[in-house]
Amino acid sequence: MSDIQRVAEQYIAVWNETDADKRRRLIAEVFTEDAAYTDPLGAVTGHDGVDGFIAGAQAQFAGLTFSLPAAPDAHHDIARFQWYLGPEGAEEPLAIGFDVITVEDGRIKQVLGFLDKMPG
């Protein structure tokens, strides 16, 4: 498994972790301390910002899970990948997004997120 594939899978695992303590530990492993996350719904920095943003999304989309439909496309320290959000095992995701990450020393330094499909 490539390092970028591993980072992308860890990133999705962070979004799926509903136990707050475990999620915080994962965030510390996956993101740099000064990581920046930006998508159409908000912009945050640092572990606290990322954690709060993810907790908010989990509250809004309770019971849904994120998945990677394909391997990331990467070069240098940058990767892009699509993600799905929906009930586990569903044929059609409720939401689809596209994220671009910058990786520094094996951890995510920046996320630029785009939303392709969101539930009404």
Side-chain angles (χ1 to χ4, degrees):
M1 176 187 318
S2 75
D3 285 343
I4 291 296
Q5 179 72 32
R6 178 188 53 77
V7 170
E9 289 176 3
Q10 289 176 322
Y11 174 74
I12 295 298
V14 168
W15 281 90
N16 286 329
E17 183 54 66
T18 56
D19 179 284
D21 292 333
K22 288 180 184 177
R23 186 178 59 246
R24 288 289 298 183
R25 284 193 297 277
L26 283 174
I27 288 170
E29 292 174 17
V30 176
F31 291 86
T32 63
E33 290 78 10
D34 61 344
Y37 178 93
T38 306
D39 77 10
L41 303 176
V44 297
T45 57
H47 291 172
D48 289 340
V50 171
D51 185 49
F53 197 84
I54 291 172
Q58 288 177 348
Q60 184 177 2
F61 300 108
L64 303 180
T65 58
F66 287 88
S67 63
L68 286 173
D73 181 27
H75 63 83
H76 297 87
D77 60 352
I78 301 168
R80 65 180 181 163
F81 52 86
Q82 191 175 51
W83 52 260
Y84 289 173
L85 175 65
E88 194 160 337
E91 289 185 30
E92 183 69 26
L94 296 175
I96 300 172
F98 182 90
D99 288 353
V100 177
I101 61 172
T102 302
V103 178
E104 181 179 274
D105 296 325
R107 292 169 49 197
I108 297 173
K109 181 158 183 74
Q110 182 180 38
V111 178
L112 300 173
F114 298 85
L115 303 174
D116 298 326
K117 174 185 173 185
M118 288 299 288

